Amino acid sequence: IITNQSKFIKNTIQEVKQTALIGGILAILVLLYFLKNFRSTLIIGAAIPISVVITFFLMYSSNITLNIISLGGLALGIGMLVDNSIVVLESIQRYREKGTDSYKAALQGASEVAGAVTASTFTTVAVFFPIVFVEGIAGQLFKDMALTVTYSLLASLVVSLTLVPMLNATLRRENSKERLTGWLKVLFKPVDKIYSQFY
């Protein structure tokens, strides 16, 4: 064996993994500091790993391997994963401060910002996704990163409009006898509103 780059590649991938993990932990700590609410931080903190799992599924479906570029894209996307969830959570919190119960606050708060959050996400996707169509060496190098960032942003959008309102309604409910049907309405109301705008 004249040269062996496998150790260097393994070490680099391990460092990128650690960077992504540390970035996620720091994001949660920063949220805890600014939100000053453990439940809110827990809700948004849950959005990060779920979005990452969805991103991995989409990467697998697109035959994207875990390499330096794709993991770098994921590390870049982790910082943006919580943006949508914070906007939705703050909107819900505003309704709760007005005295609205947790179920209605989750419905109204998420529905109110659904369009804005979707538009914001798609403007960022519009920056990264066209890199997929670049030809040559640059296209080969950055295609995985562009797709990974795009997938992570779309995953965060879905999580922020479905999981975050549902968790907010269930973790903060005043009435312990709220039914599963109520949770499902909270889960799909923002998505239904966006769907109705286009069709």
Side-chain angles (χ1 to χ4, degrees):
I1 299 172
I2 299 173
T3 114
N4 185 359
Q5 295 291 322
S6 63
K7 290 182 180 180
F8 168 76
I9 293 169
K10 286 179 181 177
N11 291 336
T12 306
I13 290 175
Q14 193 63 32
E15 285 177 14
V16 175
K17 285 181 185 175
Q18 289 175 357
T19 303
L21 183 63
I22 292 169
I25 293 169
L26 287 175
I28 292 171
L29 291 176
V30 169
L31 287 170
L32 184 61
Y33 176 77
F34 283 102
L35 294 176
K36 294 179 175 62
N37 188 309
F38 182 74
R39 283 187 177 182
S40 298
T41 306
L42 184 66
I43 290 169
I44 297 178
I48 296 175
I50 292 170
S51 299
V52 170
V53 169
I54 295 171
T55 304
F56 280 148
F57 172 75
L58 293 172
M59 288 170 65
Y60 177 79
S61 301
S62 302
N63 295 321
I64 297 175
T65 59
L66 290 177
N67 52 54
I68 298 169
I69 301 296
S70 63
L71 284 173
L74 189 61
L76 178 66
I78 281 178
M80 297 183 280
L81 284 179
V82 295
D83 293 351
N84 294 333
S85 298
I86 290 172
V87 172
V88 172
L89 192 67
E90 285 298 316
S91 178
I92 294 170
Q93 188 63 30
R94 187 166 52 82
Y95 276 97
R96 286 185 54 80
E97 288 172 359
K98 292 179 180 178
T100 312
D101 67 85
S102 58
Y103 171 72
K104 289 182 180 177
L107 275 177
Q108 294 172 356
S111 298
E112 186 177 275
V113 296
V117 167
T118 304
S120 173
T121 301
F122 278 107
T123 53
T124 311
V125 167
V127 173
F128 284 98
F129 188 67
I131 299 174
V132 173
F133 303 106
V134 174
E135 296 180 354
I137 297 174
Q140 292 291 325
L141 285 174
F142 295 109
K143 179 181 178 181
D144 288 358
M145 184 191 73
L147 283 174
T148 304
V149 172
T150 300
Y151 291 154
S152 64
L153 289 173
L154 294 176
S156 75
L157 176 65
V158 171
V159 168
S160 67
L161 292 178
T162 56
L163 185 72
V164 170
M166 186 186 74
L167 287 176
N168 198 288
T170 53
L171 290 178
R172 298 181 170 215
R173 66 186 185 276
E174 289 84 5
N175 182 4
S176 59
K177 294 182 180 179
E178 287 186 74
R179 298 176 182 174
L180 180 62
T181 53
W183 299 342
L184 292 174
K185 285 180 183 178
V186 172
L187 187 65
F188 291 107
K189 178 73 173 176
V191 177
D192 183 57
K193 184 178 179 182
I194 295 171
Y195 182 81
S196 63
Q197 288 177 352
F198 290 102
Y199 298 99

